[in-house]
């Protein structure tokens, strides 16, 4: 009996040690999910079709621990928006300059107008079936301009980063990185042509956090 007690205590200590080691990282989890924008161009014309799609398994890679975790029926809260950046003042309603084609029944995605200021976006959720997440939609430009596109998530902004999953460390938040076009530069160099300081200067100071991990893309629309 005594031997069993020692064995149990030893196993508990070993498991506790492993768990503590896996949890010894600062900040939040940084999960990475893929997305594709095509065709990838610097300049589109009015009436062109820009396709965006994202499909990935519920076994999701996490960059800080360099591990894959099972995120079953997880709420990612994806959002996409377009800004017009040809002026020093950003036009955050520029998504109205595009026709958005999306199956809102399949994806439960809808247009959202921010109450805090003039900004337009689409937000909702991925379709989850057969152990995979998916989202696809198309954008057709109707107006010329100089634009930035972002597809990111709201998970850290709406207070729901404490969702649980197997092996999750206690008191660790969750962040989602949207990796667009497999870490291509996505025309970030064009941002220097914007008169807006955020785009021509500040975005380059932390380009991963402010562009790459937010699924950013810069482009022109011409007639």
């Amino acid at each position: 009996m005594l031997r069993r007690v020692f064995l149990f205590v030893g196993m508990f200590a070993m498991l506790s040690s492993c768990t503590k080691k896996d949890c010894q990282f600062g900040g939040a989890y940084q999960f990475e999910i893929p997305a594709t924008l095509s065709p990838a161009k610097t300049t589109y014309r009015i009436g062109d079709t820009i396709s965006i799609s994202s499909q990935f398994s519920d076994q999701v890679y996490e960059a800080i621990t360099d591990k894959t975790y099972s995120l079953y029926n997880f709420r990612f809260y994806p959002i996409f928006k377009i800004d017009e950046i040809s002026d020093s003042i950003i036009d955050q309603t520029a998504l109205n300059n595009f026709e958005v084609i999306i199956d809102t029944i399949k994806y439960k995605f809808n247009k959202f107008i921010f109450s805090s200021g003039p900004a337009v976006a689409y937000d909702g959720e991925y379709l989850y079936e057969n152990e995979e997440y998916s989202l696809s939609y198309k954008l057709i430009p109707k107006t010329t301009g100089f634009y930035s596109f972002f597809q990111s998530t709201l998970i850290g902004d709406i207070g729901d980063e404490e969702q649980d999953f197997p092996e999750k460390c206690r008191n660790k938040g969750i962040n989602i990185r949207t990796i667009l076009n497999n870490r291509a530069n996505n025309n970030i160099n064009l941002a220097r042509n914007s008169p807006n300081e955020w785009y021509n200067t500040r975005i380059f100071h932390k380009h991963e956090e402010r562009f790459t991990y937010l699924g950013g893309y810069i482009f022109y629309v011409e007639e």
Side-chain angles (χ1 to χ4, degrees), residues 118-183:
V120 176
Y122 269 70
D123 68 344
E125 195 50 84
Y126 288 95
L127 174 67
Y128 180 57
E129 61 181 8
N130 299 323
E131 301 180 342
E132 283 195 337
Y133 295 93
S134 66
L135 171 65
S136 65
Y137 54 94
K138 300 179 187 297
L139 303 170
I140 300 177
K142 301 183 293 184
T143 305
T144 61
F146 183 28
Y147 297 102
S148 67
F149 163 88
F150 289 94
Q151 179 177 303
S152 56
T153 75
L154 293 172
I155 193 169
D157 297 324
I158 61 178
D160 199 43
E161 66 272 19
E162 295 299 329
Q163 292 185 78
D164 201 8
F165 57 86
E167 301 182 67
K168 183 180 185 296
C169 299
R170 296 180 59 189
N171 304 319
K172 291 293 183 182
I174 299 171
N175 189 38
I176 306 295
R177 301 172 177 176
T178 302
I179 308 301
L180 186 67
N181 292 342
N182 196 27
R183 298 184 185 274

